[in-house]
Amino acid sequence: MTIRAKFATGLICILVVNLMAGLYAFRLYQQANSQAAEVREASSQIVATALSTQVRFKKQVQEWKNILLRGQDPALFDQYLAQFENEEQNTRVSMQRLIELLGENLAARETAGQFLEAHTHLGEEYRLALGQHRLSDEGASLGVDERVRGIDRQPTDLLDKVVEAARAHKDQTLANIDISIAGVERHIFLIMVGVMTGAIALLILLVDRTIGQPI
């Protein structure tokens, strides 16, 4: 084999090794970013679901207030009660979905479970209060309100804790993603430095054996 052929073959081998190292590094970075995007999306969905549950619960409480304020009219009473029950169901479905999304976040799942228990108790007390008073009677709404006043505080506080835990989970997840990406970038940098150093060493050896020694 001629000197030119040996030199060309060596250069081609070096270029192939560099190309393979570059493709491997690109694949590593692409996989890291893909996994980070999935985790980021999941954490964002948890926060969005928690906030949606909070909004639905507030709507439920508002419908209860509408019952007390305008429930003297039978038609309006039925309307607001139906809306109350609809938001009650929506709140429970949304919270159950959130519990599924929380996965291994046991503390947040426990708080969410406590909210569901308090939420069920809230609905039972609301209906019991309505059953003991006829809103068509004068002053009945005041009696109902007095019976259940402040009962929504516990589920409200628990829901606030769930939302706070969801946001904290998202912040921690994003921080972990940044650490993971930084680790991958550091790994890629070391790979490329090692490959380029090896390539330069091989090139020097190649030049020495194919050109220097024959001369």
Side-chain angles (χ1 to χ4, degrees), residues 4-127:
R4 180 181 293 177
K6 291 179 180 180
F7 189 71
T9 301
L11 284 178
I12 290 172
C13 290
I14 292 172
L15 290 174
V16 169
V17 170
N18 283 335
L19 178 61
M20 292 178 63
L23 291 175
Y24 175 70
F26 176 75
R27 184 180 178 185
L28 278 180
Y29 193 72
Q30 192 177 41
Q31 287 178 343
N33 277 315
S34 177
Q35 292 173 354
E38 292 177 1
V39 174
R40 188 179 290 109
E41 174 63 25
S43 62
S44 297
Q45 188 176 6
I46 289 174
V47 173
T49 304
L51 292 174
S52 175
T53 306
Q54 191 176 49
V55 169
R56 292 185 181 282
F57 179 65
K58 288 180 179 179
K59 287 183 178 179
Q60 178 189 349
V61 174
Q62 183 59 50
E63 294 302 339
W64 170 256
K65 293 178 180 178
N66 288 335
I67 292 174
L68 296 183
L69 293 174
R70 304 176 181 88
Q72 292 76 20
D73 184 330
L76 290 178
F77 175 86
D78 292 339
Q79 175 186 338
Y80 290 125
L81 180 60
Q83 292 173 180
F84 168 83
E85 292 176 341
N86 181 57
E87 292 301 336
E88 180 182 43
Q89 179 62 23
N90 289 338
T91 299
R92 296 192 65 81
V93 170
S94 184
M95 180 55 74
Q96 288 166 352
R97 172 60 178 158
L98 177 60
I99 291 176
E100 294 175 2
L101 293 174
L102 287 171
E104 298 180 357
N105 192 337
L106 299 181
R109 285 172 62 94
E110 182 179 357
T111 305
Q114 292 173 355
F115 167 81
L116 284 178
E117 293 178 3
H119 184 253
T120 299
H121 177 67
L122 178 74
E124 292 172 350
E125 289 296 319
Y126 277 171
R127 288 174 175 80

Side-chain angles (χ1 to χ4, degrees), residues 153-170:
R153 176 48 52 191
Q154 182 186 15
T156 299
D157 290 343
L158 289 170
L159 189 51
D160 289 343
K161 290 180 180 179
V162 173
V163 172
E164 182 180 350
R167 285 175 168 160
H169 177 269
K170 180 179 180 180

